[in-house]
Amino acid sequence: MNDKIIGRNPVLEAIRSGRSVDKILVKKGKYEGSIVPIIKKAKDAGIIIQEVERAKLDQIAEGENHQGVIAYVSAYDYVSVKDILDKAREKNEPPFVIICDKITDPHNLGAILRTANCVGAHGVIIPKRNSVGLNSVAKTSAGAVEYTPVAKVTNIANTIDSLKDEGLWIAAADMDGQEMYDIDLKGSLGLVIGSEGEGISRLVREKCDFIASIPMAGEINSLNASVAAGVLMYEALRQRRK
């Protein structure tokens, strides 16, 4: 099964990561700006480059901003939860895992993947049902999908139990909880982010060791899911660097 990656930065990151790229379509004309290193790296990697008219790219991109380049790749491979924990052990670091409970907006999941990579999280876990998948977030993750391992599991609550058996403490992001500055986020940690509309499901919430709230000082008392995830991830990073 083939899929497509749209836009200059996502395509460049796919090549840099060593991902198997079948071919790259580029807009006919003179190569300028950030398209130049894409062409060079693609040629160095032996990837087929095909020049096409802009109208063809527009048709394939289906409304997305392709910036004159589209890559055809194999569908993304998911890893296992064990793979994520093994990655932490290989680095001799306490596992830091982001658990997404029914995130359905590709922009939110893409931003979470990007931030997870930036803070050094070892992987992200998503459910098989009621969640956006990896092929939908390549562009919104700004290339992070190439570097951030993602496991897709049947049951988030059961997975949390398994993570706790592996020594992880589980903290959920929710307005009704203990202020995040007062929670120890330094050790082996699973950070649960709820869905955009419903938040964290009741059963998943009951499985968590801590409920972490973000302090609010304005009239609005809630944050976008990916923003809340970013705030909590960076608080965890701050603590872990002490």
Side-chain angles (χ1 to χ4, degrees):
M1 176 183 174
N2 286 344
D3 214 311
K4 53 183 180 281
I5 296 177
I6 299 170
R8 295 186 181 188
N9 191 54
V11 170
L12 181 60
E13 292 299 342
I15 300 170
R16 282 176 173 168
S17 72
R19 185 150 182 229
S20 178
V21 180
D22 297 328
K23 68 177 178 179
I24 294 176
L25 306 183
V26 296
K27 183 172 72 70
K28 282 184 178 179
K30 184 180 178 181
Y31 300 147
E32 296 179 326
S34 57
I35 197 73
V36 175
I38 293 175
I39 299 300
K40 181 180 185 306
K41 286 188 176 294
K43 287 181 177 179
D44 291 345
I47 297 169
I48 296 170
I49 301 170
Q50 182 180 342
E51 292 189 338
V52 297
E53 298 293 341
R54 182 180 184 89
K56 178 67 172 177
L57 293 173
D58 290 343
Q59 179 186 11
I60 296 170
E62 299 178 322
E64 287 193 53
N65 181 15
H66 53 71
Q67 301 171 302
V69 59
I70 295 174
Y72 280 97
V73 298
S74 299
Y76 286 100
D77 292 326
Y78 292 92
V79 303
S80 68
V81 174
K82 181 180 181 299
D83 291 331
I84 293 174
L85 298 179
D86 286 345
K87 180 182 178 182
R89 294 188 182 104
E90 287 168 8
K91 292 186 172 184
N92 197 28
E93 296 173 347
F96 184 17
V97 182
I98 312 305
I99 304 164
C100 297
D101 186 19
K102 300 179 181 178
I103 299 289
T104 57
D105 184 334
H107 293 280
N108 271 333
L109 182 58
I112 289 169
L113 288 174
R114 185 177 186 181
T115 306
N117 180 265
C118 290
V119 301
H122 300 104
V124 174
I125 297 172
I126 63 174
K128 288 183 178 179
R129 297 183 61 190
N130 301 314
S131 175
V132 66
L134 287 185
N135 291 326
S136 302
V137 302
K139 189 171 180 64
T140 56
S141 73
V145 70
E146 304 294 342
Y147 301 104
T148 308
V150 178
K152 184 182 277 191
V153 300
T154 303
N155 187 294
I156 289 290
N158 289 345
T159 299
I160 287 175
D161 283 337
S162 298
L163 290 172
K164 290 168 81 169
D165 288 341
E166 292 286 343
L168 277 74
W169 293 88
I170 309 298
D174 193 84
M175 291 185 298
D176 182 22
Q178 188 177 3
E179 195 165 292
M180 64 181 186
Y181 302 124
D182 298 326
I183 297 175
D184 185 350
L185 303 173
K186 293 191 291 293
S188 299
L189 177 69
L191 182 60
V192 183
I193 308 299
S195 66
E196 298 86 351
E198 300 176 4
I200 297 167
S201 61
R202 180 189 58 80
L203 182 56
V204 169
R205 181 187 172 98
E206 290 174 355
K207 296 284 185 180
C208 296
D209 298 298
F210 308 105
I211 306 298
S213 68
I214 299 170
M216 301 285 176
E219 286 73 31
I220 298 173
N221 64 358
S222 65
L223 293 172
N224 171 281
S226 61
V227 175
V231 171
L232 283 164
M233 279 189 257
Y234 268 96
E235 172 57 18
L237 178 62
R238 183 190 70 81
Q239 292 188 22
R240 294 161 87 86
R241 282 192 165 183
K242 281 186 175 180

